[in-house]
Amino acid sequence: MPTVFKNASKVIVGDGKILENTSVRIEGKFIKAIGRDLPEDGADVIDCSGKVVMPGLIDVHVHIAMW
């Protein structure tokens, strides 16, 4: 099922650009669209008003020598 992160105050994209009042549509593991007025057909919609969204951010925090 697709997910739309709607109306984020800021979206920071991979090339470093910062988009304001923007939405992100995810389908499966892939970002399908970034922009305003994205289709919400059949999608879970998450209101991101007042939030910053950074698509593609992953957790790479690892303590290799800890064990």
Side-chain angles (χ1 to χ4, degrees):
M1 173 176 285
T3 303
V4 174
F5 295 91
K6 185 175 182 177
N7 297 327
S9 293
K10 295 184 185 335
V11 174
I12 302 172
V13 295
D15 62 3
K17 289 182 186 172
I18 299 175
L19 308 174
E20 296 188 3
N21 302 315
T22 304
S23 300
V24 179
R25 183 178 174 100
I26 308 293
E27 294 181 18
K29 296 181 181 181
F30 300 97
I31 299 168
K32 289 295 184 174
I34 297 176
R36 295 186 178 140
D37 302 318
L38 297 181
E40 297 176 6
D41 53 307
D44 286 330
V45 178
I46 299 172
D47 181 20
C48 292
S49 299
K51 308 280 192 274
V52 175
V53 175
M54 295 171 42
L57 183 66
I58 59 172
D59 181 7
V60 294
H61 181 103
V62 176
H63 295 273
I64 296 173
M66 190 173 217
W67 294 275

